[in-house]
Amino acid sequence: MDSMQTKLLSSKPTNLHICHQFTNLCRIKTCAFPVRDDRSFKFKLVSHQNDSPASQNLIYLPQRRHRHAIATNAHSSAHTYIVDKCDSDQVHSITKQERVGVLLLNLGGPDNLDDVQPFLYNLFADPDIIRLPRLFKFLQKPLAKLISVLRASKSKEAYASIGGGSPLLRITNEQAEALKKALQEKQLHADIYVGMRYWHPFTEEAIDQIKKDHITKLVILPLYPQFSISTSGSSIRVLNDIFREDGYFEGLPISIIESWYQRDGYIKSMADLIQRELLSFPNSDEVMIFFSAHGVPVSYVEEAGDPYKAQMEDCVSLIIHELKSRGVKNSHVLAYQSRVGPVQWLKPYTDELIVELGQQGVKSLLAVPISFVSEHIETLEEIDMEYKELALESGIENWGRVPALNCTSSFISDLASLVIEALPTATAVARARNNNGNDKDESDIMQYVVKMLFGSVIAFFLLFFPRFLSLFRNSSL
């Protein structure tokens, strides 16, 4: 690492947190990855270079193919090895020489109502979901426990209304099987694994199976089209910790697909679904297309450099451009759902905008869940039940909802092409050596006293101001 030159690539980075060393066998020319600054809670994108002749990246940034692509600040300056087409001979060669694995990353969800509270605990114990200052990190798990208990009752009601559990694992397994078949049709035989962040099968369980199967080349594919610190970033951070500590991954070629919302296959598949649902309305040209994305706190974007908002706006623009090329000229809006707690989240909020549109006289609304590729609690309960009821109460007479992509053939086929394109970028990694020793801050007696003091103050506040806690009850997740 000492022989490498480091330079700043972007001021709007993302939380991939891939900060381990790379071996000289990687043949890396440029490898871009963000590094976290715990003091400022910001991320900066840096690049390490060496003099090797070949160009490969651990992080694969799919080439933007759409002519109407809108420039964003997310990794636009990173040098990426792009494979537009892989011929069948090349793919067959990879299959013969390697045992290829594809790891699909997703959120996870409770299998039954008894799983709801522990699932919520896992969610809120994630430091990428509730981002506490370093001084208060010791409160992460107690706070997660408190919030999960407070929200369990309402969340159980929501899951009960959709059958008593989340369908996310079942659908993700179906997507994995469909992807395996699509890859076989493209002459690539690969083992597909599913790793959930907050419930079984956990990412760690998938990694154990990957090791048992002796995978020799790995592609990591988050099932989130757009990148966010709280989704892809969180899962990749967990993987990074595993890669640094587990000797199995030393020298294993790995390619991480950071985001893929800009691909033609995804854009056209979304446009197909929207166009089909518009035909179900009596006057389809009068329908407003309502894109609803999962929200994130504003601080993620403004302070931590999360590119999610920019990528989401870019994604919507690409879909609308595709629709217009087909003669669909409906008006559209973008809003953000599922906010939690007292902090400010990305606006406009879905519920507030629905009411506002009803007051403005909008009569037909087509909801499009834009950040989800699988049906789950936020589509089946939050959109289909809560928002539909709110829309009808607000004066909107015709309501429709575009289904999630799930196993749509054009979508799955494009994911298979994406995996094949990412394979040549797989880069071997080396385990990082820990030269820091024990964290001196944790052993410092004054630090301990400060933590206890602030912990007592917060506990006092939560005990005597219980109305504050009600702010965390108002979401079905």
Side-chain angles (χ1 to χ4, degrees):
M1 201 69 140
D2 294 335
S3 64
M4 296 180 180
Q5 181 181 3
T6 304
K7 66 178 181 179
L8 184 66
L9 284 185
S10 173
S11 60
K12 292 273 189 176
T14 58
N15 177 28
L16 296 183
H17 197 41
I18 308 295
C19 54
H20 47 281
Q21 291 179 311
F22 298 91
T23 65
N24 291 329
L25 298 176
C26 303
R27 298 186 298 167
I28 304 170
K29 183 175 182 181
T30 303
C31 185
F33 58 95
V35 179
R36 180 167 180 167
D37 182 344
D38 284 325
R39 292 168 298 180
S40 62
F41 292 92
K42 295 184 179 181
F43 297 83
K44 59 183 180 179
L45 184 65
V46 299
S47 170
H48 288 280
Q49 296 183 328
N50 62 23
D51 297 328
S52 302
S55 174
Q56 291 188 345
N57 284 337
L58 177 65
I59 300 169
Y60 174 64
L61 309 176
Q63 186 178 35
R64 188 185 303 277
R65 300 173 180 275
H66 206 291
R67 290 183 179 181
H68 189 64
I70 298 174
T72 70
N73 290 318
H75 300 286
S76 58
S77 57
H79 302 286
T80 306
Y81 185 83
I82 299 299
V83 179
D84 287 324
K85 295 181 180 179
C86 288
D87 58 42
S88 58
D89 291 339
Q90 182 181 3
V91 174
H92 184 64
S93 176
I94 293 174
T95 303
K96 288 181 62 177
Q97 298 175 11
E98 307 280 357
R99 182 159 188 181
V100 177
V102 180
L103 174 57
L104 303 180
L105 302 177
N106 214 328
L107 182 81
D111 298 320
N112 53 60
L113 297 184
D114 291 336
D115 296 336
V116 171
Q117 191 273 321
F119 163 75
L120 292 176
Y121 170 79
N122 292 338
L123 178 71
F124 292 112
D126 182 357
D128 289 317
I129 297 296
I130 296 183
R131 300 175 65 242
L132 298 175
R134 189 175 185 180
L135 187 63
F136 301 117
K137 288 294 184 184
F138 71 104
L139 289 173
Q140 189 85 47
K141 291 183 178 181
L143 187 58
K145 182 69 173 180
L146 179 63
I147 297 174
S148 65
V149 170
L150 290 171
R151 294 185 56 189
S153 177
K154 181 176 176 60
S155 293
K156 285 182 179 180
E157 293 178 6
Y159 281 106
S161 71
I162 64 169
S166 173
L168 188 59
L169 177 58
R170 173 181 58 81
I171 295 173
T172 306
N173 283 335
E174 292 171 355
Q175 290 172 326
E177 185 61 31
L179 178 60
K180 183 181 182 70
K181 292 179 180 178
L183 286 169
Q184 289 175 344
E185 292 173 359
K186 298 177 185 291
Q187 307 303 311
L188 177 64
H189 297 276
D191 295 311
I192 315 297
Y193 305 89
V194 172
M196 299 297 189
R197 181 65 180 90
Y198 304 114
W199 202 244
H200 302 284
F202 290 110
T203 305
E204 294 85 350
E205 296 175 54
I207 289 294
D208 287 342
Q209 190 60 49
I210 287 170
K211 293 164 60 177
K212 290 178 182 178
D213 291 343
H214 305 292
I215 293 301
T216 60
K217 182 170 288 189
L218 181 62
V219 175
I220 296 172
L221 174 57
L223 289 178
Y224 310 102
Q226 305 83 13
F227 178 89
S228 174
I229 292 171
S230 58
T231 53
S232 302
S234 178
S235 291
I236 293 172
R237 176 178 57 81
V238 170
L239 288 171
N240 176 56
D241 292 340
I242 295 172
F243 296 159
R244 287 187 301 176
E245 300 298 329
D246 194 327
Y248 177 86
F249 294 96
E250 185 170 5
L252 180 70
I254 301 173
S255 179
I256 300 176
I257 301 172
E258 180 229 32
S259 66
W260 41 269
Y261 70 90
Q262 71 278 56
R263 292 183 61 84
D264 272 357
Y266 170 70
I267 296 299
K268 290 180 178 179
S269 295
M270 288 297 300
D272 289 343
L273 294 178
I274 293 171
Q275 197 169 14
R276 188 180 309 151
E277 290 300 317
L278 284 173
L279 296 177
S280 66
F281 286 82
N283 298 302
S284 60
D285 57 335
E286 297 177 1
V287 179
M288 175 172 287
I289 301 173
F290 190 105
F291 292 96
S292 186
H294 192 288
V296 299
V298 172
S299 62
Y300 283 36
V301 176
E302 295 183 351
E303 298 176 17
D306 196 332
Y308 178 73
K309 181 175 183 291
Q311 290 189 4
M312 187 59 67
E313 292 171 353
D314 190 5
C315 179
V316 169
S317 296
L318 293 172
I319 294 172
I320 291 299
H321 182 266
E322 175 63 27
L323 288 170
K324 287 182 178 179
S325 73
R326 305 179 184 190
V328 178
K329 303 186 184 301
N330 296 61
S331 59
H332 72 281
V333 291
L334 168 63
Y336 297 91
Q337 65 182 84
S338 309
R339 67 186 186 276
V340 181
V343 300
Q344 184 178 1
W345 287 55
L346 293 180
K347 292 184 176 182
Y349 299 141
T350 294
D351 54 353
E352 293 181 358
L353 187 55
I354 288 175
V355 174
E356 183 180 332
L357 292 175
Q359 294 172 346
Q360 292 175 1
V362 173
K363 297 301 180 183
S364 299
L365 209 60
L366 177 61
V368 182
I370 188 61
S371 53
F372 316 106
V373 298
S374 310
E375 302 290 1
H376 64 304
I377 189 71
E378 294 179 30
T379 59
L380 299 174
E381 195 277 336
E382 193 170 4
I383 294 179
D384 287 353
M385 298 180 187
E386 294 182 30
Y387 293 151
K388 179 180 179 180
E389 181 180 358
L390 179 62
L392 297 178
E393 291 176 351
S394 302
I396 293 169
E397 299 173 356
N398 303 304
W399 169 272
R401 200 263 286 180
V402 170
L405 287 165
N406 292 334
C407 292
T408 302
S409 58
S410 59
F411 165 60
I412 296 297
S413 178
D414 189 62
L415 285 186
S417 297
L418 176 58
V419 168
I420 292 172
E421 293 170 17
L423 275 172
T425 73
T427 299
V429 300
R431 296 171 67 186
R433 291 173 295 181
N434 184 6
N435 297 320
N436 295 327
N438 296 327
D439 191 338
K440 295 180 180 180
D441 290 337
E442 296 296 323
S443 62
D444 186 85
I445 184 63
M446 292 303 297
Q447 183 81 350
Y448 175 79
V449 171
V450 171
K451 285 182 177 181
M452 291 300 297
L453 175 62
F454 278 96
S456 300
V457 171
I458 292 176
F460 177 87
F461 179 80
L462 294 177
L463 179 64
F464 289 97
F465 296 92
R467 291 184 61 185
F468 172 79
L469 300 179
S470 65
L471 294 171
F472 293 98
R473 297 178 186 266
N474 300 322
S475 177
S476 58
L477 183 63

